[in-house]
Amino acid sequence: MKKLSIIALAIFLLVSFTTVAFAASEDLATEAAGRTLLIDKVKLDSIVGTPGFNNEGAENLFDNDPATKFCTNQFPAEVTWELDGAYVVDAVIICTANDNAQYMGRNPDPWKLYGSNDGSNYTLIHEGSASDLEDVNFTYFLININNDTAYSHYKLEIPAAEAADVMQISEFILVQKDGAVEAPAETPAEEPAAEEPAEAPAEQPQVIAPATSDFATVASFAALALAGVVGTIASKKRSK
Ligand SMILES: [Ca+2]
């Protein structure tokens, strides 16, 4: 009986470990487990990505629909997008696509997430691999990330697929770090900088204006001087 109990316990532990190691769900709310998702913070018109197959472009990663996917055979695949403010991201949720179980090896391997606050200079936040996912369909995987910096711009870089000529995922969701709300502090700080160039052109007409009045002044003096000369000549002619 003791042997049976030990075997049963071993099986239970093995199943538990497997469940924890490959925690995933076909339901986003279950996989997110109360975390704050930044789906509605994505500026949809900011999305720029490597072309995908027909109707399978990078914009499909941000539509909160696992039935639409980003599917491409162009590598390295790259996607950049902007949020409506700067947020600290400490996890992402990636969802597999409609036929990963049939076409195995299409998960990204590796995948690299970068952050930026100017859309030009990017910092590597995390590098993941195909081991974060499985060859299953329509399944959300939460991947924790070690990051404490708020970024407003993000870039996903996928050098290759795990074991196929085609890479595909259906959703790429940023997860905000609990208690980190830095967006309001970042956004106002950027606005004055953007206004500075607008003021510079306004000063140019002011520089030109004195030159015009100087010309008018010189012209006035010249006219007065000419009038004086003419007057002098006229008076001299009258005196003769
Ligand atoms: Ca989608």
Side-chain angles (χ1 to χ4, degrees):
M1 285 298 288
K2 279 187 178 179
K3 281 186 178 178
L4 283 175
S5 300
I6 291 170
I7 291 171
L9 180 63
I11 292 172
F12 172 77
L13 290 173
L14 183 63
V15 170
S16 300
F17 174 77
T18 304
T19 304
V20 170
F22 298 102
S25 174
E26 293 185 9
D27 178 61
L28 176 58
T30 301
E31 184 65 4
R35 303 291 298 273
T36 302
L37 307 182
L38 299 174
I39 296 174
D40 62 347
K41 308 300 183 186
V42 175
K43 290 184 175 180
L44 297 179
D45 60 357
S46 73
I47 302 167
V48 178
T50 300
F53 295 107
N54 289 339
N55 302 317
E56 295 177 345
E59 66 276 6
N60 289 339
L61 295 176
F62 309 98
D63 62 358
N64 197 17
D65 182 1
T68 62
K69 65 183 178 182
F70 175 36
C71 185
T72 185
N73 62 352
Q74 296 185 34
F75 300 102
E78 187 177 291
V79 186
T80 58
W81 68 100
E82 184 182 355
L83 305 183
D84 66 2
Y87 297 86
V88 180
V89 169
D90 72 345
V92 303
I93 293 177
I94 299 176
C95 188
T96 55
N98 61 315
D99 53 8
N100 282 69
Q102 180 181 354
Y103 299 103
M104 300 175 75
R106 286 190 174 188
N107 285 322
D109 190 36
W111 58 271
K112 300 178 183 179
L113 180 66
Y114 297 82
S116 169
N117 279 310
D118 60 8
S120 301
N121 301 297
Y122 283 91
T123 302
L124 179 65
I125 300 174
H126 181 83
E127 178 169 346
S129 70
S131 63
D132 296 317
L133 311 170
E134 294 175 85
D135 291 311
V136 291
N137 301 339
F138 301 123
T139 304
Y140 294 92
F141 292 83
L142 175 76
I143 300 128
N144 287 308
I145 286 172
N146 183 21
N147 171 53
D148 289 309
T149 305
Y151 295 108
S152 55
H153 296 70
Y154 289 86
K155 177 169 72 176
L156 173 63
E157 189 180 287
I158 300 172
E162 181 183 13
D165 295 330
V166 172
M167 185 287 307
Q168 65 178 30
I169 49 177
S170 69
E171 289 288 294
F172 192 89
I173 302 167
L174 298 175
V175 181
Q176 185 178 11
K177 183 172 184 176
D178 288 340
V181 184
E182 295 186 33
E186 290 277 337
T187 307
E190 292 177 359
E191 287 177 356
E195 287 174 3
E196 282 177 7
E199 290 174 4
E203 291 174 1
Q204 289 177 0
Q206 293 172 5
V207 175
I208 294 169
T212 306
S213 61
D214 284 349
F215 175 77
T217 305
V218 170
S220 299
F221 275 116
L224 286 170
L226 182 61
V229 170
V230 170
T232 305
I233 292 171
S235 64
K236 279 182 179 177
K237 279 185 177 177
R238 278 197 297 275
S239 66
K240 282 181 182 178

